[in-house]
Amino acid sequence: MPTALDIQGPIRTDNREVAMTATTILAALLAIVLLGAGATMTLAVTFQRDTATHLGFSVNAFRRIGVLELLGAIGVLLGLTIPGRSSPPFDPRMKNSGRGRWYRP
């Protein structure tokens, strides 16, 4: 008697889809961390002031570092929305020929 898996066939996932999902999740987590750390450093929250003095930085230097972290978070989020020049356009119908060229079958 055939089972449900025999009738439906094996479940397949595209490696590209898995990679894109993992990249998106990791980039979103990085952006959240950078936004949180950058916001607290820029606003000079009490524990960040204590950390700055403990590490030998001035509060203004810590604020500048916080602004750079906020800009890094914005860059990560923009990288998710703007595809790079070297990456193929994200179209699930596109296939790799194996020679570095993408085509639509």
Side-chain angles (χ1 to χ4, degrees):
M1 176 164 222
T3 64
L5 286 177
D6 293 334
I7 295 171
Q8 295 174 355
I11 299 172
R12 293 187 176 200
T13 58
D14 186 16
N15 288 337
R16 182 173 160 84
E17 290 178 18
V18 172
M20 288 295 294
T21 303
T23 301
T24 303
I25 290 171
L26 290 175
L29 288 174
L30 178 64
I32 289 169
V33 168
L34 287 174
L35 282 172
T40 58
M41 291 173 84
T42 304
L43 296 174
V45 181
T46 306
F47 75 89
Q48 289 292 7
R49 287 183 188 182
D50 296 339
T51 304
T53 56
H54 175 71
L55 294 175
F57 287 100
S58 68
V59 175
N60 286 334
F62 237 46
R63 284 185 172 165
R64 286 191 294 271
I65 293 170
V67 168
L68 291 175
E69 287 183 357
L70 290 174
L71 291 174
I74 292 170
V76 168
L77 292 174
L78 283 176
L80 288 174
T81 59
I82 301 171
R85 289 178 54 100
S86 63
S87 64
F90 183 68
D91 185 356
R93 295 171 291 177
M94 298 293 281
K95 301 291 181 193
N96 189 351
S97 67
R99 295 185 297 267
R101 298 189 179 191
W102 291 84
Y103 67 94
R104 182 173 289 136

